[in-house]
């Protein structure tokens, strides 16, 4: 860490070149335009990433709904296991297995919806 004396000594030799005010204003305007361009690019990239995340969420939700209905309609190998089990508790677990899996997936669905709705923190808030 630099203490105050070292910093004063370091800055003592700095003599900035004074330019005309018009040159300074032109350079400042160019830099501000560059900052605006970067901010617009960042906002565009954020919109694109949000759109991609929303499309991936919708595609995953539709695939999940499709496969849920498919597993409920097709015969399950669990039914064959249910014929050989004599325990009522195991039979209950096996017969309701698709619903247990569905109940486990609901928190993931809620997490995805909340993640899409939440506004991301800006870079200045992270620091």
């Amino acid at each position: 860490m630099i203490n105050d004396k070292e910093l004063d000594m370091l800055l003592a030799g700095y003599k900035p070149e004074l330019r005309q005010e018009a040159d300074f204003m032109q350079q400042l305007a160019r830099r501000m335009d560059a900052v605006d361009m970067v901010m617009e690019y960042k906002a565009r990239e954020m919109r694109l990433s949000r759109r991609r995340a929303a499309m991936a969420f919708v595609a995953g939700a539709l695939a999940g709904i499709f496969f849920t209905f498919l597993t409920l309609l097709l015969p399950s190998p669990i039914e064959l296991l249910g014929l050989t089990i004599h325990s009522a508790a195991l039979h209950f677990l096996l017969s309701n297995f698709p619903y247990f899996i569905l109940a486990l997936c609901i928190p993931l669905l809620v997490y995805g919806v909340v993640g899409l709705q939440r506004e991301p923190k800006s870079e200045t808030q992270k620091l």
Side-chain angles (χ1 to χ4, degrees), residues 6-76:
E6 292 174 357
L7 186 61
D8 288 339
M9 288 173 41
L10 184 67
L11 294 177
Y14 180 67
K15 305 272 189 227
E17 178 183 318
L18 297 177
R19 295 184 232 165
Q20 293 179 352
E21 188 173 326
D23 291 341
F24 173 76
M25 291 305 289
Q26 287 175 353
Q27 186 179 12
L28 181 63
R30 277 196 314 265
R31 288 183 179 176
M32 293 301 289
D33 289 341
V35 168
D36 288 339
M37 184 178 67
V38 168
M39 294 299 283
E40 288 174 12
Y41 177 78
K42 184 178 176 183
R44 185 173 54 240
E45 287 296 315
M46 186 65 74
R47 283 192 305 270
L48 282 175
S49 65
R50 255 188 193 284
R51 187 176 299 140
R52 289 177 186 146
M55 289 181 353
F57 176 76
V58 168
L62 290 176
I65 290 170
F66 172 74
F67 285 118
T68 299
F69 284 125
L70 188 66
T71 57
L72 292 176
L73 295 175
L74 293 177
S76 170

